[in-house]
Amino acid sequence: MTPGGAGVAQRHDQSTGGPAGLLGFGHEPGRAPGARAAVVDGPYGGNDGMYGPDDTAYGPVTAARTGDDGTGHGTPDLGAELASRTADEVLADYLHQQSADFLRSLRLHRESGSDAEGAGEAARQLRRAARRISATLYTFRPLTEEDWADQLRSELGWLSGTLAREQACAARRERLMTALQRLTGRGPERSDRGDRTGRGERAKRADRTPTAQATSSTGASSAASSASASDPDPDGALSAGAARAGALLDRQLTLARTRAHSAALQALGSSRFHAVADSVAVLASEAPLAGTTAELPADEALAPLAEQAHRRLADAVAALPLSRAGYPYNAAALAADQRQDAPWHQVRVLVRLSRYAREVIAPEADDLRLAEAGRALEWHRDAAEAAAAAAAAARTPRIAPATAYALGVLHADQRHEVEAARFAFGRVWLPRTPDRKG
């Protein structure tokens, strides 16, 4: 039995995808087998430690590259230091470091007690380490004890996905509420403008309508209703449904967050979780690497696998409609179609795999373009899922027409965000030429 193997067995009720039982959590049509399982999504509304503190500006990479594919990306020059080490040393050191971070975050999570903010930060760090362990075992799979590594990767995918859902619901709610407020202009600036254009006076008259109707004749009331109907006010219609739309979204997403919180607590107290923690504890001291790995030079064994991860990314990007996405306001992303979003989600996962592979072989050589591309695709994912939440709320039975209208406007706004994210990704990924100035 391999180290830690007892307790990381594949569950019979777990859906799998990809090679060797990779966990296909959140299956998306058209994705490469197992890629999503290799790097489980982090929380929404932030990079979750995926990028370093200096990854804030577009700029050249910090190391020379080999194997450039024409996009300005490639594997970094490894240098003599890595060439003098074995693949076993480099891979084991990285896995030990990430496993130690996982266990440290787990201890902080347990010690946080009733501190919700501290528990949330510990959970983010735990998922951060879990993603890196899982991605490393996936990219460098031929150098590991494959059965044990596949089982651990599957279980880490389950754990990370379970812990991420609560914060995902909270971030999605915050995103939608902010967008709804922006669209309806319920801030002080819009209120002043409403008073200047006379809408504030109309609102005051609307507040006095019940009293007026009580003291007026039936004919006067009918005339007032006809006048109101002949005064179309799209902004007024949006504002009328925004409150109910916000209440509906808040109710649905709060319920989803509560369920996700309960599921996370149940997972953290389960025997399955304790088996995962035991396996990571073993990994922190003894990496499950193949026996031949100790004999291979690191530059010869690790670099080709990292380059293979980058080639998968380049191939996936080549299949994207970047030529059309490169035009602003192209309206290609306005249709809510999961099939058109799936290739972009797939590229986001492959960007992470490529980035984590670079961390293993060249931790000091960060690719800022790759970081910017990852941020654009995180933005794309967040907007697409927020739009889906608005569309799901609009399908609620027996909602008022004004509520459905507000949700439709909110959905269109988030699909415009999807389009903008695709445009931003293309600007980052494609090489800059004299004809394409930033």
Side-chain angles (χ1 to χ4, degrees), residues 35-411:
R36 186 176 176 91
V39 184
V40 178
D41 290 343
Y44 307 155
N47 60 37
D48 189 33
M50 175 180 169
Y51 311 116
D54 299 329
D55 297 343
T56 56
Y58 180 86
V61 296
T62 57
R65 296 184 183 88
T66 60
D68 200 313
D69 61 359
T71 65
H73 308 279
T75 54
D77 185 6
L78 301 179
E81 181 179 355
L82 188 61
S84 63
R85 304 176 65 188
T86 65
D88 178 89
E89 293 173 344
V90 175
L91 202 54
D93 286 349
Y94 185 82
L95 289 173
H96 293 337
Q97 175 186 350
Q98 299 304 324
S99 300
D101 290 344
F102 181 98
L103 297 174
R104 187 181 305 110
S105 301
L106 179 58
R107 176 177 56 80
L108 293 175
H109 189 276
R110 289 173 175 171
E111 294 175 353
S112 61
S114 59
D115 182 7
E117 183 177 353
E121 179 60 27
R124 281 191 292 272
Q125 295 300 321
L126 188 149
R127 292 196 306 272
R128 178 182 184 274
R131 283 200 308 271
R132 281 163 167 77
I133 295 172
S134 181
T136 302
L137 295 177
Y138 177 77
T139 300
F140 301 101
R141 183 174 181 269
L143 304 179
T144 67
E145 294 182 8
E146 296 181 355
D147 292 340
W148 189 88
D150 289 343
Q151 291 173 356
L152 177 57
R153 186 169 65 249
S154 174
E155 296 301 283
L156 288 172
W158 160 76
L159 176 62
S160 298
T162 301
L163 296 180
R165 292 190 189 103
E166 179 182 359
Q167 188 171 353
C169 293
R172 192 175 303 131
R173 176 191 173 279
E174 179 66 22
R175 181 186 185 90
L176 288 170
M177 293 304 170
T178 301
L180 196 59
Q181 183 175 5
R182 169 173 50 82
L183 290 169
T184 55
R186 289 180 291 178
E189 295 180 359
R190 180 58 179 272
S191 298
D192 295 341
R193 186 174 64 182
D195 290 339
R196 289 195 300 268
T197 58
R199 286 181 186 148
E201 186 62 30
R202 284 201 300 270
K204 294 177 183 178
R205 290 199 301 269
D207 291 339
R208 293 195 299 265
T209 298
T211 304
Q213 287 178 344
T215 59
S216 64
S217 64
T218 306
S221 177
S222 299
S225 299
S226 300
S228 177
S230 63
D231 182 18
D233 186 0
D235 289 344
L238 178 59
S239 298
R244 291 185 178 181
L248 177 61
L249 287 169
D250 179 70
R251 186 165 58 250
Q252 291 183 347
L253 293 175
T254 300
L255 177 60
R257 181 182 182 181
T258 301
R259 290 174 175 172
H261 181 71
S262 299
L265 292 179
Q266 184 178 3
L268 291 175
S270 66
S271 59
R272 184 180 181 184
F273 167 73
H274 290 295
V276 175
D278 290 344
S279 298
V280 175
V282 171
L283 185 62
S285 58
E286 181 182 354
L289 304 178
T292 57
T293 307
E295 305 172 0
L296 299 175
D299 56 344
E300 297 180 5
L302 301 179
L305 295 174
E307 177 63 18
Q308 185 180 24
H310 176 70
R311 290 296 176 185
R312 286 196 298 267
L313 170 60
D315 291 343
V317 173
L320 296 177
L322 289 184
S323 58
R324 183 172 183 179
Y327 291 96
Y329 309 108
N330 58 76
L334 297 188
D337 186 355
Q338 183 182 9
R339 291 173 296 179
Q340 70 154 285
D341 291 339
W344 296 87
H345 296 327
Q346 170 67 11
V347 169
R348 176 181 57 81
V349 174
L350 293 175
V351 164
R352 280 186 168 179
L353 284 173
S354 182
R355 184 177 177 85
Y356 295 162
R358 290 174 61 89
E359 285 187 3
V360 175
I361 63 175
E364 301 300 326
D366 199 9
D367 189 336
L368 297 185
R369 281 186 180 175
L370 205 59
E372 290 290 337
R375 271 191 288 272
L377 292 173
E378 292 283 339
W379 174 19
H380 177 277
R381 187 272 313 277
D382 293 349
E385 296 192 350
R395 290 191 291 269
T396 303
R398 297 184 298 279
I399 61 174
T403 306
Y405 174 73
L407 290 170
V409 173
L410 183 60
H411 173 267

